[in-house]
Amino acid sequence: SQTTIVVAGMTLRPEPGAGGIVLAVRPRSRADAAGIPENDVVHAVDGVPVRAPAAVPEPLRGALRPVAVVRGGVPVTAAFND
């Protein structure tokens, strides 16, 4: 079975070659504030590639934490703020 993990309000499931696919976003979470929708695929945080949900840093802290995702096949950068 595939294990999910919750990071910054995102529930992530493993996705081959990525940090995970977003299965759910908690309302009013940092992920929600950053505009992350379900089905985004996380690829990098602060320019550092992530290859498993557990590799996505928690908490996503800092003045600005860019999170690279793929949304509908298109690369997008979301900004996680404190």
Side-chain angles (χ1 to χ4, degrees):
S1 69
Q2 294 186 320
T3 303
T4 62
I5 189 169
V6 178
V7 180
M10 301 178 288
T11 300
L12 299 173
R13 183 187 72 212
E15 181 76 1
I21 186 166
V22 179
L23 297 182
V25 177
R26 189 176 66 236
R28 296 176 300 284
S29 67
R30 296 183 72 227
D32 188 30
I36 299 286
E38 292 177 4
N39 298 314
D40 268 11
V41 179
V42 178
H43 281 273
V45 177
D46 276 347
V48 178
V50 289
R51 297 290 176 245
V56 177
E58 171 66 70
L60 287 165
R61 296 255 179 238
L64 179 67
R65 297 295 299 265
V67 177
V69 300
V70 173
R71 182 174 300 154
V74 179
V76 176
T77 299
F80 278 67
N81 291 300
D82 273 341

